[in-house]
Amino acid sequence: MGLGMNFNVDFNGIIFPRRCPICDKILEFNGKLICEKCRDKLVYINEPRCKKCGKQLIKMEDEYCYDCKMKKHLYKEGAVPFMHIGEIKKSIYKIKYCNKREYIDFYADEVVKRCGSIINEWNCDALIPVPLHRQRKLKRGYNQAKIIADKCSKRLNIPIRNDVLVRTKNTKPQKELNDTDRKKNLENAFKMGKNVVKLTKVILIDDIYTTGSTIDACTAVLLRSGIREVYYVALSIGTGY
C-alpha cells in the first residue's frame, strides 16, 4: 500500500537556487524571495505620497511633491513601491546591467502588495513596458521593463501589450543628463507600433522613475493615438526634483 506522500518539489529551485535581491546570497528553500534581515533594509513608499507621481511626501498636509507642483506631467497618476536609494538602488542596477533578472519576481510581488489596490482602481486595459531600442536590447540581451510587465501581468491579471510602443532612437542614458537635456534626448524617441487594437486606459511599466521625462514622452505618443488615460508603475522612484 502506498504511503500517500506528496512529492511536489520545485526542482528548478534546487538546480538553480534563488538569491536574495539585496545581498545576493542563496535563499533558504522556503518560498521566500528575500532574506528577512535584508527586508529591514528596504525603504518603502508610505503615506503621505504625491497624488500625481506617487513619490514619498514629508508633510501630511501636502498633496503633491515639488516636482509635480512645478511642472505638468502628461500621465494621469503613478504608483511605486520603493524609494530609489540605498540597497534598492544597487539591486535595480544589478537587474539592469548585471543580468540579475531573477530578482524581478520579488519586485513584482512587492508591486502587487504595495500598489495592487491602487492599480485595480485604475481599471486599465493593458500594461505597456517602456521599450528599449533594438541596439541596446541586442547589447544587454533583454528589456527589464518587459520582464517586469510580464511578471506583473500574471499577478494582476492585466494583459500585456508589447507591440504598442516602439523606441526609434538609441538615446543616451538618462542618468547622464540634467532635466532639460533629458527632454531633448527623448524628442521623437518613441512611436506607435503596428496592428494596435483600440485601448482606452493603459499602464506604462518601467524600472525607475526619476524626473518623469521618459514616462511623459511615452504618454505623449499614446495620447496622440487616441488612448484616453495613461498611468505608470515603476519599481522605485527618486527623492529629488
Side-chain angles (χ1 to χ4, degrees):
M1 182 181 294
L3 297 178
M5 298 177 68
N6 186 354
F7 290 102
N8 291 326
V9 179
D10 181 7
F11 289 105
N12 191 56
I14 296 173
I15 299 170
F16 304 105
R18 286 190 176 275
R19 291 181 176 271
C20 173
I22 302 302
C23 69
D24 199 48
K25 292 181 180 178
I26 293 176
L27 293 166
E28 295 180 18
F29 194 62
N30 57 11
K32 294 183 179 180
L33 299 177
I34 188 173
C35 299
E36 285 303 316
K37 65 178 182 179
C38 287
R39 185 174 286 278
D40 294 335
K41 300 175 183 178
L42 306 180
V43 183
Y44 288 98
I45 300 289
N46 296 299
E47 295 294 346
R49 67 182 74 201
C50 177
K51 289 185 176 181
K52 188 71 172 180
C53 71
K55 189 178 296 168
Q56 182 72 60
L57 298 176
I58 304 300
K59 299 178 181 178
M60 288 297 297
E61 60 268 25
D62 287 342
E63 293 188 341
Y64 300 97
C65 67
Y66 177 79
D67 172 53
C68 292
K69 287 177 182 177
M70 299 305 294
K71 65 183 180 183
K72 179 179 175 59
H73 290 293
L74 299 177
Y75 62 84
K76 185 81 172 178
E77 187 182 341
V80 191
F82 295 107
M83 295 174 67
H84 193 63
I85 58 175
E87 300 301 326
I88 289 292
K89 186 175 182 178
K90 296 175 186 176
S91 177
I92 293 177
Y93 179 91
K94 291 177 183 176
I95 292 173
K96 201 165 187 173
Y97 300 111
C98 302
N99 198 20
K100 291 293 184 178
R101 287 176 277 181
E102 65 188 90
Y103 294 173
I104 294 176
D105 278 314
F106 164 74
Y107 285 103
D109 278 358
E110 294 301 302
V111 165
V112 175
K113 289 176 186 176
R114 306 290 297 191
C115 308
S117 60
I118 298 172
I119 295 169
N120 286 332
E121 287 177 3
W122 296 342
N123 192 29
C124 290
D125 304 313
L127 306 180
I128 300 176
V130 172
L132 200 63
H133 191 270
R134 62 181 181 277
Q135 291 181 5
R136 192 167 296 175
K137 185 177 179 182
L138 186 64
K139 181 178 179 181
R140 187 178 299 171
Y142 57 95
N143 176 8
Q144 71 279 359
K146 180 184 179 301
I147 301 172
I148 295 166
D150 282 334
K151 302 287 187 181
C152 289
S153 173
K154 293 173 183 175
R155 289 162 171 79
L156 294 165
N157 197 29
I158 302 174
I160 180 174
R161 290 292 304 272
N162 297 311
D163 58 342
V164 173
L165 275 178
V166 176
R167 197 164 197 142
T168 57
K169 284 173 58 179
N170 190 12
T171 53
K172 295 179 181 179
Q174 291 286 88
K175 63 180 181 179
E176 299 175 1
L177 307 172
N178 61 36
D179 194 20
T180 302
D181 289 338
R182 285 170 189 258
K183 293 178 182 177
K184 292 180 180 177
N185 188 44
L186 291 168
E187 287 179 359
N188 302 312
F190 302 97
K191 70 174 184 178
M192 293 298 290
K194 297 179 180 179
N195 302 318
V196 176
V197 176
K198 182 67 175 177
L199 299 169
T200 303
K201 299 196 291 183
V202 299
I203 303 172
L204 286 165
I205 303 292
D206 208 357
D207 53 353
I208 306 164
Y209 180 105
T210 306
T211 66
S213 296
T214 301
I215 297 298
D216 279 331
C218 291
T219 299
V221 175
L222 294 171
L223 293 177
R224 285 198 299 268
S225 77
I227 291 173
R228 193 173 75 240
E229 294 178 1
V230 180
Y231 299 80
Y232 92 86
V233 169
L235 303 186
S236 66
I237 189 168
T239 58
Y241 304 95

